[in-house]
Amino acid sequence: MRIDVVTIFPEYLDALRLSLIGRAREQELLDLQVHDLRDFTHDRHRTVDDTPYGGGPGMVMRPEPWGEALDHVQAAGRTALAGVSGEDATPHLLVPSPSGVPFTQQLARELAAEPWLAFACGRYEGIDERVLDDAAQRWRVTPVSLGDYVLNGGEVAVLAVVEAVARLLPGVIGNAQSLVEESHEDGLLEYPVYTKPASWRGLDVPAVLLSGHHGAIARWRRDERVRRTARRRPDLAAALDDAALDDADRRVLADQQADPGSARFLPEPPAVAD
Ligand code: JF5
C-alpha cells in the first residue's frame, strides 16, 4: 500500500517509523511518504493560512499550497505505483476533521483493501473547502472523524488511522488470529485479560481462568464481553444483531440492562441541565 501525508508538521509522523509500522515500511509492505505543505508555498514567509471570509475567529488554510501539494502527491504516487495499479491510479483522500464521518474498524478494513491513500492534515479552523471540492473532481475524498472532540490538527488522527489500517495489511501482524479475536470485529467489546501473579495487591484472577475448563472459560469470557458492552457502550449493545446472540448472551444482556450495578470504571453520568 502507498500512503501520502501532507502536513505542516512532518515530524509528527516520525512515530510511524517505530515498531510494527516501521517494520512494515522496512519490508516494503507499506510505502509511506510525508510531504511538508510549506514546500508548496512561494512567499518568503511560507504562509499557509489567511483570515476567514465572512469573519469569525482563527485562520483558514489557503487553497493554493494545498492544490500544488496534492498535484505533487498525484504525480509522485503515480510514478511509485507504475505497473501496480495502472496509468490512471488516484489516491483515496482522507481528511481528518471533527466534522467527518466516524472512523470505525469497518472503515479501517475497507481502507486496508485500497492500493493508495492520501491524508490532508488541517490546522487552525480547517482547510478552504474548495481544496476538497477540487480534489473530489478527480479523487475519492472522505472527511473522517476519530470522535466527538477537537484536536489541534489532523496529524494525531492520521497516526491513529494509519496504524489501524496498516496493521490489517497482509504480513504486518504475524499472528492473523489476533486480528480476528479483537474488539469491534463482531460488535462486542473484548473480555478482561489477566497474567501472573494469580494474586496481586489482594486482587485475585477470576478462579475460572485457573480451572483448566476450556468450555467454562470461553463462556465466562463471552459473558464478560456482553456485560462490558452493555455497561460501557449501550449504543453498541442496542445495535447487536439478535441472530448473533445465543440464549446465554441474551440472559446476560437482559440482566445487565436491568441492573447496571457497579459499572466499575464508569464515571457518574453528567448532570442534565433542565
Ligand atoms: C482538525 C480542523 C482538522 O480535530 C480533529 C478531529 C477530531 N476528531 N477527529 C479528527 O481533526 C483535526 C482540527 C481542526 C481540521
PDB file of all heavy atoms in Angstrom, residues 164-176:
ATOM      1  N   ALA A 164      -4.272   1.880  12.459  1.00  0.00           N
ATOM      2  CA  ALA A 164      -5.428   0.964  12.393  1.00  0.00           C
ATOM      3  C   ALA A 164      -5.495   0.258  11.041  1.00  0.00           C
ATOM      4  O   ALA A 164      -5.867  -0.918  10.968  1.00  0.00           O
ATOM      5  CB  ALA A 164      -6.724   1.734  12.659  1.00  0.00           C
ATOM      6  N   VAL A 165      -5.128   0.970   9.961  1.00  0.00           N
ATOM      7  CA  VAL A 165      -5.198   0.399   8.606  1.00  0.00           C
ATOM      8  C   VAL A 165      -3.986  -0.501   8.345  1.00  0.00           C
ATOM      9  O   VAL A 165      -4.134  -1.635   7.882  1.00  0.00           O
ATOM     10  CB  VAL A 165      -5.285   1.519   7.546  1.00  0.00           C
ATOM     11  CG1 VAL A 165      -5.109   0.956   6.142  1.00  0.00           C
ATOM     12  CG2 VAL A 165      -6.623   2.257   7.658  1.00  0.00           C
ATOM     13  N   ALA A 166      -2.782  -0.001   8.670  1.00  0.00           N
ATOM     14  CA  ALA A 166      -1.553  -0.717   8.280  1.00  0.00           C
ATOM     15  C   ALA A 166      -1.466  -2.073   8.968  1.00  0.00           C
ATOM     16  O   ALA A 166      -0.965  -3.047   8.385  1.00  0.00           O
ATOM     17  CB  ALA A 166      -0.327   0.131   8.588  1.00  0.00           C
ATOM     18  N   ARG A 167      -1.949  -2.174  10.214  1.00  0.00           N
ATOM     19  CA  ARG A 167      -1.861  -3.453  10.926  1.00  0.00           C
ATOM     20  C   ARG A 167      -2.754  -4.516  10.301  1.00  0.00           C
ATOM     21  O   ARG A 167      -2.618  -5.702  10.628  1.00  0.00           O
ATOM     22  CB  ARG A 167      -2.159  -3.265  12.415  1.00  0.00           C
ATOM     23  CG  ARG A 167      -3.554  -2.790  12.711  1.00  0.00           C
ATOM     24  CD  ARG A 167      -3.676  -2.331  14.158  1.00  0.00           C
ATOM     25  NE  ARG A 167      -3.504  -3.441  15.096  1.00  0.00           N
ATOM     26  CZ  ARG A 167      -4.439  -4.376  15.332  1.00  0.00           C
ATOM     27  NH1 ARG A 167      -5.595  -4.320  14.699  1.00  0.00           N
ATOM     28  NH2 ARG A 167      -4.221  -5.343  16.176  1.00  0.00           N
ATOM     29  N   LEU A 168      -3.687  -4.093   9.427  1.00  0.00           N
ATOM     30  CA  LEU A 168      -4.560  -5.059   8.744  1.00  0.00           C
ATOM     31  C   LEU A 168      -3.954  -5.558   7.429  1.00  0.00           C
ATOM     32  O   LEU A 168      -4.499  -6.464   6.805  1.00  0.00           O
ATOM     33  CB  LEU A 168      -5.933  -4.423   8.461  1.00  0.00           C
ATOM     34  CG  LEU A 168      -6.716  -3.951   9.695  1.00  0.00           C
ATOM     35  CD1 LEU A 168      -8.041  -3.311   9.285  1.00  0.00           C
ATOM     36  CD2 LEU A 168      -6.965  -5.114  10.653  1.00  0.00           C
ATOM     37  N   LEU A 169      -2.839  -4.944   6.988  1.00  0.00           N
ATOM     38  CA  LEU A 169      -2.241  -5.360   5.715  1.00  0.00           C
ATOM     39  C   LEU A 169      -1.612  -6.744   5.862  1.00  0.00           C
ATOM     40  O   LEU A 169      -1.015  -7.048   6.890  1.00  0.00           O
ATOM     41  CB  LEU A 169      -1.181  -4.343   5.271  1.00  0.00           C
ATOM     42  CG  LEU A 169      -1.685  -2.921   5.019  1.00  0.00           C
ATOM     43  CD1 LEU A 169      -0.527  -1.989   4.678  1.00  0.00           C
ATOM     44  CD2 LEU A 169      -2.735  -2.909   3.904  1.00  0.00           C
ATOM     45  N   PRO A 170      -1.729  -7.562   4.821  1.00  0.00           N
ATOM     46  CA  PRO A 170      -1.154  -8.904   4.887  1.00  0.00           C
ATOM     47  C   PRO A 170       0.340  -8.840   5.230  1.00  0.00           C
ATOM     48  O   PRO A 170       1.073  -8.060   4.624  1.00  0.00           O
ATOM     49  CB  PRO A 170      -1.356  -9.446   3.468  1.00  0.00           C
ATOM     50  CG  PRO A 170      -2.468  -8.636   2.881  1.00  0.00           C
ATOM     51  CD  PRO A 170      -2.388  -7.285   3.534  1.00  0.00           C
ATOM     52  N   GLY A 171       0.743  -9.634   6.231  1.00  0.00           N
ATOM     53  CA  GLY A 171       2.158  -9.726   6.601  1.00  0.00           C
ATOM     54  C   GLY A 171       2.589  -8.778   7.692  1.00  0.00           C
ATOM     55  O   GLY A 171       3.675  -8.924   8.246  1.00  0.00           O
ATOM     56  N   VAL A 172       1.766  -7.771   8.028  1.00  0.00           N
ATOM     57  CA  VAL A 172       2.191  -6.776   9.022  1.00  0.00           C
ATOM     58  C   VAL A 172       2.123  -7.351  10.433  1.00  0.00           C
ATOM     59  O   VAL A 172       3.023  -7.130  11.245  1.00  0.00           O
ATOM     60  CB  VAL A 172       1.382  -5.467   8.901  1.00  0.00           C
ATOM     61  CG1 VAL A 172       1.694  -4.518  10.046  1.00  0.00           C
ATOM     62  CG2 VAL A 172       1.685  -4.797   7.565  1.00  0.00           C
ATOM     63  N   ILE A 173       1.062  -8.106  10.725  1.00  0.00           N
ATOM     64  CA  ILE A 173       0.949  -8.780  12.027  1.00  0.00           C
ATOM     65  C   ILE A 173       1.185 -10.263  11.820  1.00  0.00           C
ATOM     66  O   ILE A 173       0.579 -10.879  10.940  1.00  0.00           O
ATOM     67  CB  ILE A 173      -0.431  -8.510  12.674  1.00  0.00           C
ATOM     68  CG1 ILE A 173      -0.471  -7.075  13.186  1.00  0.00           C
ATOM     69  CG2 ILE A 173      -0.701  -9.494  13.814  1.00  0.00           C
ATOM     70  CD1 ILE A 173      -1.638  -6.758  14.084  1.00  0.00           C
ATOM     71  N   GLY A 174       2.120 -10.823  12.600  1.00  0.00           N
ATOM     72  CA  GLY A 174       2.478 -12.230  12.452  1.00  0.00           C
ATOM     73  C   GLY A 174       1.319 -13.164  12.676  1.00  0.00           C
ATOM     74  O   GLY A 174       1.023 -14.002  11.830  1.00  0.00           O
ATOM     75  N   ASN A 175       0.603 -12.997  13.807  1.00  0.00           N
ATOM     76  CA  ASN A 175      -0.458 -13.909  14.191  1.00  0.00           C
ATOM     77  C   ASN A 175      -1.804 -13.393  13.686  1.00  0.00           C
ATOM     78  O   ASN A 175      -2.405 -12.514  14.295  1.00  0.00           O
ATOM     79  CB  ASN A 175      -0.470 -14.051  15.719  1.00  0.00           C
ATOM     80  CG  ASN A 175      -1.553 -15.008  16.202  1.00  0.00           C
ATOM     81  OD1 ASN A 175      -2.292 -15.572  15.404  1.00  0.00           O
ATOM     82  ND2 ASN A 175      -1.634 -15.162  17.510  1.00  0.00           N
ATOM     83  N   ALA A 176      -2.271 -13.947  12.559  1.00  0.00           N
ATOM     84  CA  ALA A 176      -3.513 -13.469  11.937  1.00  0.00           C
ATOM     85  C   ALA A 176      -4.715 -13.657  12.858  1.00  0.00           C
ATOM     86  O   ALA A 176      -5.685 -12.909  12.780  1.00  0.00           O
ATOM     87  CB  ALA A 176      -3.744 -14.179  10.601  1.00  0.00           C
TER      88      ALA A 176
END
